[in-house]
Amino acid sequence: MPKPTSQQIVVDLPPGRNYAIHFDRLVEAPGLLASAGVQSGQLLVVADDNVARHYLHALTASLETNGWAPRTHVVPPGEASKSTAVLGRLYDWALQAPIDRSTSVIALGGGVVGDLAGYLAATLLRGLPLFHIPTSLVAQVDSSIGGKTGINHSAGKNLIGAFHQPRFVLTDVSVLATLPDREYASGLAEVVKHALIADAGFFNWLETRWADVVQKDESVVAEMVFRAASIKAGIVAEDERESGRRRLLNFGHTFGHAIELATGYGTFTHGEAVAVGMRAALHLSSSLQSGKTVHERMLLPAFTRADALLSRIPISASLDGLSIEELIAAMATDKKRTEANLRFVVLNAVGKAKVVDVVPRGALEAAWKYAMGNVQPGSMTT
C-alpha cells in the first residue's frame, strides 16, 4: 500500500523502483529533480498548446535558473495527438540534438501528453527517465500514476503502448484553477470511479462535499486528489502489470472506450465517456446481481446512490444517432478482452468491485439502453 505523508505518496514497486507522488508547486521541480539524482543539463519537455500557454514558461524558467537546459515541444491539445504522426514528429525533434539514456523526459500536461510523452520516453533509446507534472484532474488522480503509456490506433484506443513507470510525479493542485470546466468534470469521473471500486468512505465524502468540489475549493480539491491518487497508487503497487486487482480500474471503461471509438475521438472527453460507461456498468451490475436482466429503466437500490452521483457529472456530447449494435461492435476492439469474451468490471456494492468474463447479451443490451437513455448534456451542478 502507498505510504502517505503530508506532502507525498510513495508507490511501492519491486525491486527498488519506488517513486513518489509529490504534492507541491510546479516551480519546485528543479529541487525534486536534483533529489532524484538527475544531473543538470539537457531535458526534453513535452506540453500541449493550452498547458504551454499557462505553465511552460514558469517551468522552463525555473529549470534554467537552476542549471538545466530544457528543450520544449508543444503538441496540439486533444486525443488526436495520441497518434503515430505526432509521435513521429516528437522522435524527429528529440533526435535533432544528441541525447543519451540519461536524458530525461518531462510530461507537462493532462492524460494525452502524459501518455504520448511517456511512450516517447519508453521507446527512445529503449527507455529514458520519465517525470510527470500532471495539470488536469484526470492526470493527477489517474493517468500519471502507474506507468501506462501509449497512443491510439484507428482500430481502438490505447492499442499501442508500453508500461514505463515515472521517476516521480509532481502534482500541483493549484493549476486546476485554470482547467476548463469540461476537463475538470471529466476528471471527476475518474475520482468517482476510484471511490466506487475501492472506498465506500471516500464515496460518502464525495457525496457530502460535492458542492465544494464543484466550486473548486482548493483545500477540498487537495484532499480529494490526495485520496483518489492514494487509491490508484495502492492498486498499482499491488498489481503493476494489470494481471489482477488493477483490472478493477477499468470500471466503466469497456463501455467508455466503445463510446469514444463509435463517436470519434474528441466528441466525448475520456472522462465523459467513462461517466456514461459507469452508468451502463451499474445497470449491468444490477442485472448480474439479481440473476436476471433488469428493466432498462431500473437499477437495484444498492446502486441508485452511485448512479445519482454520476448523474451530476455533466456530459457535453450525445449518443443520438448511434445504435446499440454499433456500440457493441465497437466493444470488440477492447484490448482487455479475453480470446473468447469481453471483460467487464461490475460492482457487488459501492466500494467492492469484481471482474466478469461472461455477460448475457440481453443484460449487455439493457445496460446500453439505460446509459443511452440517461445521456443528457448539461452544465456542472452542485
Side-chain angles (χ1 to χ4, degrees):
M1 291 297 290
K3 301 184 181 73
T5 71
S6 60
Q7 293 183 308
Q8 69 178 33
I9 300 165
V10 175
V11 183
D12 288 324
L13 293 175
R17 294 182 295 116
N18 295 357
Y19 62 90
I21 305 167
H22 298 280
F23 292 84
D24 214 328
R25 298 307 188 194
L26 180 147
V27 293
E28 300 301 320
L32 294 173
L33 286 168
S35 297
V38 179
Q39 300 296 315
S40 60
Q42 181 181 213
L43 296 169
L44 304 179
V45 182
V46 182
D48 72 28
D49 283 317
N50 293 337
V51 172
R53 191 178 312 119
H54 291 289
Y55 302 114
L56 185 58
H57 175 73
L59 176 63
T60 57
S62 181
L63 291 168
E64 289 167 351
T65 298
N66 287 276
W68 277 277
R71 292 175 54 208
T72 63
H73 189 95
V74 177
V75 301
E79 196 74 23
S81 282
K82 285 175 58 174
S83 67
T84 54
V86 174
L87 180 65
R89 291 195 287 272
L90 279 170
Y91 286 141
D92 293 342
W93 159 74
L95 294 168
Q96 283 175 358
I99 60 173
D100 58 37
R101 287 185 175 175
S102 68
T103 303
S104 295
V105 176
I106 296 177
L108 174 68
V112 167
V113 166
D115 285 356
L116 181 64
Y119 192 53
L120 174 76
T123 51
L124 267 178
L125 307 186
R126 296 196 174 96
L128 302 180
L130 172 65
F131 299 88
H132 281 297
I133 304 180
T135 60
S136 71
L137 181 56
V138 67
Q140 291 189 355
V141 303
D142 190 69
S143 61
S144 68
I145 307 164
K148 284 188 176 180
T149 72
I151 58 174
N152 300 328
H153 187 275
S154 59
K157 185 178 174 70
N158 295 330
L159 294 181
I160 302 169
F163 283 95
H164 189 60
Q165 298 290 350
R167 299 292 179 88
F168 69 64
V169 178
L170 171 55
T171 295
D172 181 351
V173 296
S174 72
V175 306
L176 299 179
T178 61
L179 195 65
D181 286 346
R182 188 183 184 193
E183 294 300 322
Y184 183 69
S186 181
L188 289 176
E190 296 289 351
V191 172
V192 174
K193 179 200 75 178
H194 287 6
L196 289 177
I197 65 170
D199 192 335
F202 184 36
F203 176 82
N204 294 339
W205 182 91
L206 286 169
E207 281 187 313
T208 60
R209 303 310 299 269
W210 192 256
D212 297 321
V213 166
V214 170
Q215 295 300 321
K216 298 185 184 178
D217 180 297
E218 187 168 332
S219 64
V220 172
V221 171
E223 181 177 354
M224 177 184 73
V225 171
F226 189 92
R227 292 180 71 164
S230 294
I231 292 169
K232 176 69 180 282
I235 291 174
V236 167
E238 182 179 326
D239 177 22
E240 181 182 1
R241 294 293 182 123
E242 202 170 314
S243 58
R245 189 168 181 240
R246 188 168 178 172
R247 293 173 182 169
L248 301 181
L249 291 165
N250 295 312
F251 180 63
H253 282 61
T254 302
F255 292 99
H257 286 169
I259 290 169
E260 290 181 276
L261 179 61
T263 59
Y265 295 120
T267 303
F268 284 74
T269 67
H270 176 65
E272 288 173 343
V274 168
V276 176
M278 285 190 285
R279 300 189 76 181
L282 286 174
H283 194 279
L284 182 60
S285 301
S286 291
S287 291
L288 296 181
Q289 193 170 104
S290 70
K292 59 183 179 180
T293 299
V294 175
H295 191 279
E296 64 195 49
R297 292 190 294 274
M298 294 174 55
L299 287 177
L300 293 185
F303 305 119
T304 54
R305 281 175 57 206
D307 192 63
L309 188 59
L310 286 170
S311 73
R312 298 166 84 175
I313 297 173
I315 307 299
S316 300
S318 170
L319 291 173
D320 291 349
L322 284 177
S323 69
I324 289 176
E325 289 299 323
E326 288 176 286
L327 291 163
I328 290 177
M331 285 177 142
T333 67
D334 193 279
K335 65 182 181 299
K336 300 174 185 69
R337 66 174 297 140
T338 64
E339 185 175 350
N341 299 300
L342 285 167
R343 178 178 287 142
F344 294 90
V345 181
V346 295
L347 300 186
N348 288 327
V350 170
K352 296 182 179 179
K354 65 179 181 180
V355 177
V356 295
D357 290 331
V358 179
V359 171
R361 172 77 179 210
L364 183 58
E365 291 180 356
W368 272 121
K369 288 179 182 177
Y370 180 80
M372 294 171 75
N374 284 285
V375 178
Q376 298 175 346
S379 58
M380 186 82 82
T381 62
T382 58

